[in-house]
Amino acid sequence: MTETTTHSTGDEAVDRVLANAEKRTEARVFGAAQALQDRATASHASSDGDQWDLEDRHALRRVGGLSTELEDVTEVEYRQLRLENVVLVGVYPQGAQEDAENSLRELAALAETAGAVVLDGVLQRRPHPDAATYIGRGKAQELKDIVAATGADTVIADTELAPSQRRALEDVVKVKVIDRTTVILDIFSQHAKSREGKAQVELAQLEYLLPRLRGWGDSMSRQAGGQVGAGGAGMGSRGPGETKIEIDRRRIRTKMALLRRQIRDFGPAREAKRAERKRNTIPSVAIAGYTNAGKSSLLNALTSAGVLVENALFATLDATVRRSETSDGRVYTLTDTVGFVRNLPHQLVEAFRSTLEEVGDADVVLHVVDGAHPDPAGQLQTVRDVMGDVGVRDMPEIVVFNKADLIDDSERLVLRGLEPKAHFVSSRSGEGVDELRAAIEEALPKPAVEVHAVVPYDRGDLVAAIHETGMLLSVDHREEGTAVHARVSERLAADLAPFAADA
């Protein structure tokens, strides 16, 4: 009887351990299920073009599972970069668990995009983050045990850590600690292609780094000068001197000033292009939205632009402008802009303000939302908050729920409750694209001046200008010329004034 009881108790213990291990394994799965689109449904549509830029981006890929110790000298030649193994940590107040889990899944997707393998993730419920170690001394010890058990080499916090919190947490867990802002900046530095984009990212990184410089032993606290001079240099070298960390701060500030001048120098060329479009009264539509909502795919579906498309966060950083036409022949431009994310670092908002100006100068904003995301309301609010920060909150807006092929009728009903006038579009299948084109055409500003004119046949350029920038209401070919009834800009109306005719 005693043996049976003991054997039964042992089996229960084993079952309990296995169940706990299974739960821990399930808890470590983050990222792709919600923050990124399923790989099976993320294939490119025909409108995305050949995607040579994407092939170039994927030309060098990190390879997981490689040993850090070389077993054979031939391994040196074929060795790739090792993936970082990371553990995620977050803090949330009472009643905010669902938002915290969504945010942690998004952080997992950010880490994967930056080039890491997410091994585990933990959330702590407490009213406020600990001022010293972010999660408290006791939980930091538990995190240290998780890091040791999983073999992780990095901890990522789902917030922007103060320099003191980062140092204190590193002292406990004994591995590198970074925060959400660092991961986002790293992704931006990998994906920036244009000179302006690279300068903007570098400026944001330096702004983030400046208050976080820290000394490593004596290397950052050496004092030049003093009684013994600089390294015993003798006369002429004595004085108060300057610490190494002060020199580094001065160099960073100098570099930041240089980058700001460079970004300002890019402005005139962008302004000249924008002014040319305004002079020719070409309306513009800016595509804005959450990262990985499908903005570039939608631009390709509307214009067959062949812009780079990737199932990754912040795949597009540089603004892309493409030409399109309405059904009645009016020309307008579509501009793809950088995506937004919750808790977007303010350094990036400032650094990319010049790029976001494209949204502010647009006539219509196409606000793209991922309809298959678990928190579309959060996406809407995040994008509108960032747009408010750059002063474009009151722009005419068309809300588009993209990836409509991945949602069912009940989900559409919920999304319709969020935005009753929204459009449902699938860049992959083409659903709703024609209806969206009609909505854009209706929202574009109408030319201000109504004219009646008989244009001589040798002034066909004026008729072509009406087709391109105005609204042609009626046309009749007469012996003396082309009789037109149209709405045009004030500039074109002045050119047509010598040929004016009665209605």
Side-chain angles (χ1 to χ4, degrees):
M1 182 73 176
T2 306
E3 290 180 1
T4 306
T5 304
T6 305
H7 183 70
S8 175
T9 305
D11 288 343
E12 291 176 0
V14 171
D15 292 341
R16 188 167 58 251
V17 170
L18 290 175
N20 289 337
E22 185 177 352
K23 288 180 181 178
R24 285 196 299 271
T25 302
E26 291 175 356
R28 290 173 187 172
V29 179
F30 287 100
Q34 291 192 358
L36 292 179
Q37 190 175 335
D38 191 290
R39 288 180 174 84
T41 62
S43 58
H44 302 305
S46 59
S47 61
D48 287 330
D50 293 326
Q51 295 294 297
W52 302 116
D53 291 338
L54 184 61
E55 289 187 16
D56 181 61
R57 178 175 289 183
H58 290 177
L60 175 66
R61 303 300 291 170
R62 292 182 171 94
V63 177
L66 292 177
S67 170
T68 56
E69 298 297 329
L70 297 180
E71 298 177 358
D72 190 330
V73 70
T74 59
E75 187 181 346
V76 176
E77 184 177 353
Y78 301 106
R79 193 175 183 85
Q80 301 281 341
L81 296 173
R82 185 176 64 85
L83 288 159
E84 283 190 70
N85 297 318
V86 302
V87 171
L88 312 180
V89 58
V91 172
Y92 69 96
Q94 182 74 31
Q97 181 175 349
E98 186 176 351
D99 287 343
E101 289 177 355
N102 281 336
S103 181
L104 204 66
R105 288 188 179 96
E106 188 172 83
L107 180 62
L110 287 167
E112 289 174 3
T113 303
V117 176
V118 180
L119 302 179
D120 208 342
V122 293
L123 284 171
Q124 183 193 19
R125 189 181 72 246
R126 58 183 298 154
H128 305 286
D130 183 67
T133 60
Y134 178 59
I135 55 175
R137 180 68 60 174
K139 292 298 180 185
Q141 288 292 341
E142 292 183 24
L143 181 62
K144 177 183 178 182
D145 296 337
I146 293 173
V147 168
T150 58
D153 44 37
T154 304
V155 171
I156 305 179
D158 191 21
T159 187
E160 184 170 318
L161 294 177
S164 59
Q165 289 175 318
R166 180 177 171 181
R167 286 197 297 270
L169 194 55
E170 277 185 348
D171 291 340
V172 176
V173 300
K174 305 301 181 184
V175 296
K176 180 176 67 174
V177 175
I178 60 177
D179 56 20
R180 186 186 185 94
T181 301
T182 305
V183 177
I184 294 175
L185 290 172
D186 185 78
I187 295 171
F188 271 59
S189 67
Q190 291 181 45
H191 290 179
K193 291 179 61 178
S194 67
R195 289 177 58 205
E196 184 174 14
K198 291 177 180 178
Q200 289 169 331
V201 172
E202 187 176 357
L203 176 60
Q205 287 176 317
L206 291 176
E207 286 181 342
Y208 176 78
L209 175 65
L210 185 60
R212 290 170 173 79
L213 282 180
R214 59 179 295 186
W216 296 95
D218 294 333
S219 64
M220 286 293 210
S221 58
R222 283 198 305 269
Q223 195 87 16
Q227 291 299 315
V228 296
M235 290 184 295
S237 64
R238 300 182 181 93
E242 187 175 23
T243 61
K244 179 70 163 57
I245 197 168
E246 288 171 345
I247 295 173
D248 287 345
R249 283 177 180 149
R250 176 161 48 81
R251 286 174 175 168
I252 288 175
R253 291 192 183 98
T254 303
K255 181 64 173 177
M256 287 169 61
L258 176 63
L259 288 169
R260 289 193 179 100
R261 282 198 300 271
Q262 287 181 357
I263 293 172
R264 280 199 303 269
D265 291 342
F266 290 123
R270 191 173 49 252
E271 284 291 337
K273 295 177 182 177
R274 198 178 298 147
E276 181 67 16
R277 292 197 296 266
K278 287 182 178 179
R279 188 176 70 85
N280 291 321
T281 64
I282 298 177
S284 61
V285 177
I287 304 176
Y290 212 77
T291 181
N292 207 45
K295 298 182 297 299
S296 297
S297 298
L298 187 60
L299 177 65
N300 288 337
L302 290 170
T303 66
S304 299
V307 175
L308 181 144
V309 172
E310 184 179 14
N311 183 29
L313 306 187
F314 298 114
T316 303
L317 294 188
D318 303 310
T320 304
V321 182
R322 291 294 184 268
R323 180 182 185 273
S324 188
E325 289 186 5
T326 63
S327 59
D328 58 5
R330 283 181 294 152
V331 174
Y332 66 95
T333 60
L334 282 159
T335 305
D336 186 17
T337 60
V338 64
F340 304 137
V341 72
R342 70 175 75 197
N343 303 323
L344 187 68
H346 66 88
Q347 296 96 339
L348 285 175
V349 175
E350 289 300 317
F352 279 79
R353 186 173 291 273
S354 58
T355 301
L356 295 174
E357 285 175 1
E358 295 288 348
V359 180
D361 288 329
D363 296 293
V364 180
V365 174
L366 212 59
H367 185 166
V368 183
V369 183
D370 183 355
H373 193 272
D375 186 21
Q379 287 198 359
L380 279 164
Q381 189 59 45
T382 297
V383 173
R384 284 170 175 165
D385 288 344
V386 177
M387 289 170 64
D389 290 341
V390 295
V392 294
R393 190 184 294 273
D394 298 326
M395 298 291 296
E397 179 187 58
I398 300 175
V399 177
V400 180
F401 287 112
N402 198 14
K403 306 181 185 179
D405 55 318
L406 303 180
I407 56 179
D408 55 30
D409 292 339
S410 60
E411 291 171 325
R412 291 191 185 214
L413 194 60
V414 174
L415 295 174
R416 184 69 69 187
L418 285 176
E419 288 291 332
K421 297 182 179 179
H423 294 263
F424 289 88
V425 172
S426 171
S427 304
R428 187 165 177 257
S429 68
E431 174 192 346
V433 173
D434 291 336
E435 290 81 357
L436 179 59
R437 281 200 188 96
I440 294 173
E441 184 176 332
E442 183 64 28
L444 290 175
K446 305 295 189 296
V449 183
E450 185 175 358
V451 297
H452 294 268
V454 178
V455 183
Y457 289 118
D458 61 352
R459 292 304 309 272
D461 58 309
L462 293 178
V463 179
I466 295 173
H467 280 284
E468 186 170 347
T469 64
M471 290 181 61
L472 189 61
L473 303 177
S474 67
V475 61
D476 181 26
H477 297 286
R478 302 176 182 174
E479 183 179 348
E480 63 273 21
T482 305
V484 294
H485 175 205
R487 297 189 67 88
V488 296
S489 65
E490 294 181 358
R491 178 169 170 267
L492 185 53
D495 294 337
L496 289 168
F499 315 110
D502 294 334

